[in-house]
Amino acid sequence: MVAGRSLGRAALSAALLLGGLAFGLFPDEAGRIDWYRAQIGVPDRLLAHAHNGTTGIYATTEQGVLAAVDADSGELRWRQLLGEHIGALQLRGGRVLTQSGANESRVRVWDAHSGSLQWEFVQPPPARRAAGGAAAFVGDSEDVVAVAGDSLVRLAPGRAVPVWELRLNSTGTYRRLVVHGSSAFAVGERADGGGLRVVEAELASGRLQKQYDIADGVALGTGHTLVLDAGAHGVYVLWREAKSIVWQIHKLGLTRPLWDMYHAKLLQEELAPEDMLTSTLAELDSDSGSSTGTPRFALTYTKDRARKTVVIELIATSDRMDMRKLTVFRSDGAVVGGSAMPGARGAAVAVRTSGATWSVHGDGARAAKGEFAYAEAAHGPVVRAALYRTAAGSTRVLVQTGGGLLAALGPDSSEPLWVRDEALAHATDMAFLDLPPPASAAEHAAKATDPAVVTSAAARYLLRWAATARELGAWTAAGFGLLEQRDKAAHAAAATTGDHFGFHKLAIFGTRTGVVTALGTQGGARVWARYLAVDGASVAIEHVFVTRRCQPLGDAPPVVVVVGRGAQNATVVAALDALTGAPLADGRLRPLPFGHARAFVLPAVGDDGQQLVGLATDGAEPRLEVWPPTAAATQAFCAAATPFFFELGDGTGSMRVRGYRAECPAAAGTSLTTTRAWTFDLPEGEALVGAARYDGAQSTALLGRVLGDRSVLYKYINPHLGTLAAQRAGRGGVAVYLFDRVSGRLLHSAQHAAARVSAAHPFLATQTENRIVYQLWHDEIPGAAPARGYVTVVADLFESDRADVRDERAEFSSLDLRLPSVVMAAFVAPEPATALGTTRTASHITTRDVVFALSSGKLLAIPDPLLDPRRPVGALSADEQAEGLVPYMASLPLDPRRVLSHGHRVAGVRRVVSAPAHLESTSLVGAYGLDLFFTRASPSGTFDQLSPSFSKLNLVVTTLALAAGCLLGGPMVRRRLVARAWA
């Protein structure tokens, strides 16, 4: 008995001790609930610069970003979001010089290490169009000469006005500026497009020295012109005019060409005239403002159907400058580039996509070569190559692909030293793919619950327990770290396998660079990528549609269809396996024989279970093309979805929206004729500045809104609702129209007399259920401080303005509509937004948040009660309190607790998307633009899930300890009860 009591106490002590164990962090959740990727975009200019023992790569991009990347690791050091075209980039002594802006020109000097702004000069908009953009340092001083606006100016730090200014009077577009000796030379295209013009100004005073024309019929940056700085020997311009076989060379400061360069003399071999016309120039010395005195360039030509490249050096002889051939090499299928480092000796690097090899030529003893691992099918061909050296003197090759990949190569490894994939900075559309559940869950669904698969109830019971045991074993092994060493196949399978809660999906992006990429929503790892091109030109992808979902019990793969435009604006459609990115059918892309005005998913499914896609052709009489282009697909569409209506003409600048009805063909075919169903003409003087429609499939769990007195205000649910925003010319003001997209009928309009829409102040809108939220810039906001800013307008649509009144018809028809009752309210936005989105959940029971992507980089979720247009002004009545209304306030709060992005600055967001998880409380929210961000949102709280900090081990140990205590304490309790009964 004593031994039993001691054993019971020991078990209870052990249970209490183990029950106190807790975990502070789950490693598998780090970077999975939310993740962030900072990007710079595809570079249009790259320079390497060594300063204070470190080397950085400095880039300007099409997105208006100036960025510094670590040359050894590829990590982003810093970036500046200028938001405008950057026309010049130069590096000198730890300083970065940029010129940007097309209207208001800005010249800035940055610290190369930290990216901080040292000083800035702003040239106000000129009376005439700007004359290009260029900038250069003046020697070793801190002064700068720049083409800013329509002037050539000299600037000095600390001065609010230029040292001097020379008006260019719109004589040309000057995009190259060279400081040499006592002069500054601006080179650019003439205003009439007839050739090149040179402006020479005295560096000290800005006095015009010369202004003259050279090189008829050519332009800068075309492969037929080159500017070479030979230091003390002068600055030279090389060019070859159209249909000419002679290269001409001009020294700036003179008014005539200095001499001609003949292919035979330079190359020391005879070329046919047609081969001479294929020769092009490439600069090997970076545009740095500094010179080695003997600049080099590359000339590529054709000889006997083979491409060759010769490295040429410009040298000084006793009486003139001459050309010297250093080396020649075969360059078939190669991209040739030069040095990216200022002041470095020019050498040529040739990178071949086919075979994945690179080689350096004209670099003397330090010439190098190597191979690299590269998937052209995922990222496209190499389109740019450059050389740089690290602080330790190692040779590196920087390559850029057509799909937007940036990578550094070295001679000691075939694997890239680092990689930056910038394709997603140019994403144009995105779709979510629900992944198949884990194998055990699929087996449970297929066998344990289907009598047709396993007829015996006992067998189904055993299978269910076997599946549960496997899951428990996998969970236990993962919990104790026994599954950390998994092969690549297991990782790949996990990347394309969902979870029980629906958190893990694939986010499939289409980009303007031709890349389709799938990322896992847990962690953001890339699952697959595919580069799409037709005849060597990348496809600018516009739409991404998931047309067949995952089928856990079937063999057919999920399908994603992308629609884009190739060369000459031709329509290109591609179908890919959504889990692997592998092309379906024969894998070859072919342009369709028409251009499309709009693409959309059709409400019909083909024989293979794939949803059909419709393409409305452009032209005065559009047709509806069904994809896949088969007669069976067209017949399936005609049988399931006709009559079918669509609208065209809702693009910016349009003054008329047209609705069409598709007519099924009498004979077998894939093309449907259309007839004009309606026309929505805007009032005279108005033009569209924005439009919105529902984003994806919509559903609702609540048909009405319960008021405080228990009556119901029924929602107006119209799946064909569309929103148009039109701006009046001259008088100003913006009108917002709600219309039906099937019948073309106007449902409601709102006038905003003080509103204005422009590129700087766009119209943004999002639609969900019976609510439309849009944002407009207002030049005047009555009663607000400041008196101008952004206004968020919310409109809720109800079937009637009276409670308990609803449309009792069993079927909804856009051809027989009742006008909705619209309740609207306006709020002053906390900050300007760049995109709006709405959270979505599985059953739409959870309230919806509207997500504002703010210009400051925050993602702000505004809850439904704060956007309710029925918020009363003043004190709440008893019914309003019972309904849960919040008193009206003019300004929406910027609550830090509602910022989904936490401390991240998500820059340049163009779209906010969401998808439901399997848990009703949770919505998956993503934002893409320049940056990427993904997170989970729970607008009504996580009411259907345990906290991530909940210890399952504690629960198991506590349950076992209680069971053991019951087993051990039971006999003692029974003996005590017996003894008490006998007492």
Side-chain angles (χ1 to χ4, degrees):
M1 182 175 178
V2 174
R5 290 180 180 176
S6 300
L7 182 60
R9 290 171 181 169
L12 183 59
S13 300
L16 293 174
L17 179 62
L18 291 174
L21 293 176
F23 295 97
L25 176 67
F26 290 93
D28 62 332
E29 299 241 342
R32 292 163 67 91
I33 291 180
D34 52 34
W35 49 268
Y36 165 70
R37 180 181 298 177
Q39 303 180 127
I40 63 175
V42 176
D44 53 18
R45 192 181 287 102
L46 289 167
L47 290 177
H49 183 57
H51 183 65
N52 291 337
T54 62
T55 302
I57 296 173
Y58 299 83
T60 62
T61 73
E62 301 174 7
Q63 310 283 64
V65 176
L66 170 67
V69 175
D70 188 275
D72 294 320
S73 65
E75 294 181 357
L76 182 63
R77 286 183 179 175
W78 55 263
R79 64 177 180 176
Q80 295 290 345
L81 310 178
L82 306 187
E84 54 192 11
H85 173 70
I86 303 174
L89 173 68
Q90 196 174 99
L91 299 164
R92 181 76 59 80
R95 293 171 294 155
V96 182
L97 170 64
T98 62
Q99 184 279 333
S100 61
N103 190 26
E104 192 175 63
S105 182
R106 299 176 184 270
V107 180
R108 300 178 176 100
V109 176
W110 315 82
D111 181 84
H113 178 71
S114 65
S116 60
L117 180 65
Q118 293 186 341
W119 60 273
E120 175 185 31
F121 171 78
V122 180
Q123 181 81 340
R128 282 173 279 192
R129 179 52 59 187
F137 285 108
V138 178
D140 294 327
S141 70
E142 295 187 1
D143 286 9
V144 168
V145 175
V147 176
D150 196 32
S151 300
L152 179 64
V153 295
R154 178 167 180 169
L155 309 172
R159 291 178 60 106
V161 296
V163 177
W164 51 257
E165 180 175 1
L166 175 64
R167 294 288 182 180
L168 298 175
N169 298 321
S170 300
T171 54
T173 303
Y174 300 93
R175 295 187 287 115
R176 189 66 185 265
L177 190 59
V178 182
V179 175
H180 179 74
S182 60
S183 297
F185 297 94
V187 184
E189 293 89 7
R190 297 204 306 260
D192 59 4
L196 298 183
R197 171 161 292 184
V198 178
V199 174
E200 180 184 357
E202 186 178 296
L203 191 59
S205 64
R207 184 171 59 89
L208 179 64
Q209 299 282 72
K210 295 185 182 70
Q211 180 173 277
Y212 55 93
D213 297 334
I214 59 172
D216 294 334
V218 299
L220 294 175
T222 60
H224 294 156
T225 57
L226 205 61
V227 180
L228 299 175
D229 187 353
H233 303 290
V235 181
Y236 296 84
V237 180
L238 284 69
W239 74 91
R240 181 171 60 80
E241 297 177 359
K243 299 182 180 180
S244 173
I245 61 175
V246 178
W247 289 95
Q248 296 180 291
I249 305 173
H250 166 74
K251 182 178 181 180
L252 294 183
L254 304 179
T255 56
R256 292 184 179 180
L258 187 61
W259 76 86
D260 297 330
M261 181 177 70
Y262 295 92
H263 292 85
K265 179 181 178 181
L266 182 62
L267 305 177
Q268 298 176 2
E269 60 177 335
E270 292 293 334
L271 295 181
E274 57 270 19
D275 292 337
M276 297 181 191
L277 293 175
T278 66
S279 61
T280 59
L281 298 178
E283 193 171 16
L284 299 184
D285 297 316
S286 63
D287 182 15
S288 62
S290 60
S291 173
T292 61
T294 54
R296 296 177 178 180
F297 64 96
L299 189 148
T300 300
Y301 61 99
T302 301
K303 174 67 174 178
D304 298 330
R305 298 184 179 181
R307 295 291 286 175
K308 296 182 179 181
T309 298
V310 57
V311 178
I312 302 170
E313 187 174 53
L314 187 64
I315 60 173
T317 61
S318 57
D319 58 345
R320 55 179 289 177
M321 299 296 293
D322 204 352
M323 303 285 182
R324 180 173 62 183
K325 182 174 73 171
L326 298 180
T327 185
V328 62
F329 58 93
R330 289 284 297 268
S331 56
D332 296 287
V335 173
V336 177
S339 174
M341 301 197 72
R345 295 287 296 176
V349 56
V351 180
R352 292 174 173 82
T353 304
S354 177
T357 62
W358 61 270
S359 55
V360 179
H361 305 271
D363 203 21
R366 292 198 292 183
K369 61 181 180 179
E371 299 178 352
F372 60 99
Y374 176 64
E376 181 182 359
H379 306 290
V382 175
V383 296
R384 176 182 293 178
L387 280 171
Y388 71 94
R389 302 194 190 283
T390 65
S394 302
T395 299
R396 296 287 185 264
V397 177
L398 193 66
V399 296
Q400 180 179 328
T401 72
L405 190 76
L406 197 63
L409 313 175
D412 302 326
S413 174
S414 61
E415 293 293 330
L417 303 177
W418 55 261
V419 170
R420 289 191 63 89
D421 189 355
E422 298 294 338
L424 290 179
H426 302 265
T428 54
D429 197 12
M430 191 270 274
F432 285 103
L433 174 70
D434 291 325
L435 293 173
S440 58
E443 184 178 12
H444 170 76
K447 297 180 179 180
T449 62
D450 190 355
V453 178
V454 178
T455 57
S456 171
R460 293 200 303 272
Y461 182 80
L462 293 176
L463 282 173
R464 185 165 62 248
W465 273 104
T468 304
R470 280 194 296 271
E471 290 183 352
L472 179 61
W475 176 82
T476 304
F480 287 96
L482 301 179
L483 297 181
E484 292 182 0
Q485 302 298 326
R486 297 188 294 181
D487 57 13
K488 292 184 178 180
H491 279 291
T496 55
T497 302
D499 62 327
H500 297 289
F501 303 115
F503 293 153
H504 186 203
K505 305 177 187 292
L506 286 188
I508 305 176
F509 293 86
T511 70
R512 188 163 48 85
T513 63
V515 174
V516 187
T517 302
L519 303 182
T521 56
Q522 293 202 103
R526 189 180 70 202
V527 178
W528 57 263
R530 177 68 54 178
Y531 177 75
L532 303 181
V534 176
D535 298 331
S538 63
V539 177
I541 299 169
E542 296 178 348
H543 302 283
V544 178
F545 303 123
V546 175
T547 58
R548 186 164 62 204
R549 303 286 174 178
C550 291
Q551 302 172 359
L553 307 181
D555 298 328
V559 177
V560 58
V561 172
V562 296
V563 181
R565 300 182 189 273
Q568 282 91 41
N569 210 34
T571 298
V572 179
V573 182
L576 307 175
D577 186 322
L579 292 180
T580 65
L584 302 179
D586 60 1
R588 293 185 60 189
L589 283 182
R590 302 177 182 87
L592 299 178
F594 57 83
H596 70 278
R598 194 177 154 211
F600 37 79
V601 175
L602 296 174
V605 177
D607 296 337
D608 57 355
Q610 184 175 337
Q611 199 164 4
L612 305 179
V613 174
L615 302 167
T617 64
D618 50 16
E621 297 181 357
R623 304 186 317 275
L624 179 62
E625 300 285 345
V626 178
W627 200 94
T630 63
T634 304
Q635 292 173 3
F637 168 69
C638 290
T642 53
F644 180 76
F645 295 84
F646 63 92
E647 79 279 2
L648 298 176
D650 59 354
T652 300
S654 174
M655 293 180 288
R656 172 180 297 173
V657 181
R658 302 173 301 277
Y660 295 90
R661 172 175 173 159
E663 304 288 346
C664 287
T670 63
S671 180
L672 283 73
T673 60
T674 64
T675 57
R676 181 83 61 88
W678 52 266
T679 300
F680 187 91
D681 288 311
L682 296 175
E684 186 177 354
E686 290 187 359
L688 288 182
V689 291
R693 56 173 64 92
Y694 288 118
D695 187 5
Q698 298 289 315
S699 62
T700 183
L702 301 174
L703 295 179
R705 176 162 187 164
V706 180
L707 305 182
D709 59 0
R710 297 298 180 259
S711 60
V712 178
L713 200 60
Y714 288 98
K715 299 176 182 178
Y716 180 86
I717 305 295
N718 183 349
H720 308 136
L721 181 67
T723 303
L724 300 173
Q727 184 164 246
R728 292 187 292 271
R731 295 177 298 165
V734 175
V736 176
Y737 302 101
L738 306 182
F739 76 109
D740 186 271
R741 295 168 40 236
V742 168
S743 64
R745 185 178 180 185
L746 178 64
L747 303 178
H748 182 75
S749 65
Q751 304 294 326
H752 302 275
R756 178 164 50 89
V757 175
S758 64
H761 308 297
F763 171 80
L764 305 174
T766 181
Q767 291 185 192
T768 178
E769 285 193 358
N770 66 322
R771 174 168 291 179
I772 299 97
V773 180
Y774 58 90
Q775 179 177 280
L776 286 168
W777 169 267
H778 280 63
D779 290 320
E780 181 181 354
I781 306 176
R788 51 191 295 172
Y790 288 91
V791 172
T792 299
V793 181
V794 184
D796 277 3
L797 279 63
F798 298 96
E799 293 194 4
S800 174
D801 57 355
R802 294 178 297 165
D804 295 331
V805 176
R806 64 173 303 185
D807 189 347
E808 300 292 346
R809 289 177 294 181
E811 294 183 354
F812 172 86
S813 174
S814 288
L815 303 179
D816 184 16
L817 283 176
R818 295 180 181 176
L819 294 180
S821 173
V822 182
V823 182
M824 302 184 70
F827 305 91
V828 178
E831 290 183 16
T834 60
L836 301 179
T838 309
T839 59
R840 297 173 58 193
T841 55
S843 300
H844 301 285
I845 299 173
T846 303
T847 59
R848 303 173 189 253
D849 284 354
V850 175
V851 181
F852 290 71
L854 303 179
S855 59
S856 61
K858 301 182 181 70
L859 289 183
L860 178 65
I862 301 293
D864 179 84
L866 295 183
L867 291 173
D868 192 339
R870 298 180 63 252
R871 290 173 61 179
V873 178
L876 299 179
S877 65
D879 286 346
E880 291 169 343
Q881 290 179 358
E883 188 181 343
L885 295 178
V886 180
Y888 175 80
M889 294 183 63
S891 299
L892 292 175
L894 181 54
D895 187 350
R897 296 170 298 179
R898 307 292 304 183
V899 176
L900 301 179
S901 53
H902 311 299
H904 299 300
R905 183 188 181 189
V906 189
V909 175
R910 294 187 295 273
R911 189 180 173 197
V912 177
V913 293
S914 64
H918 295 166
L919 298 177
E920 172 57 27
S921 66
T922 305
S923 176
L924 309 182
V925 179
Y928 66 86
L930 178 62
D931 292 346
L932 289 176
F933 180 78
F934 188 89
T935 190
R936 302 176 195 166
S938 299
S940 300
T942 54
F943 54 82
D944 54 359
Q945 56 185 302
L946 296 173
S947 168
S949 62
F950 182 85
S951 175
K952 299 179 180 66
L953 179 60
N954 279 357
L955 177 63
V956 173
V957 170
T958 302
T959 303
L960 293 177
L962 291 174
C966 291
L967 292 175
L968 295 174
M972 293 186 291
V973 172
R974 285 193 296 271
R975 282 192 294 270
R976 178 166 296 184
L977 291 175
V978 171
R980 183 180 299 174
W982 282 99

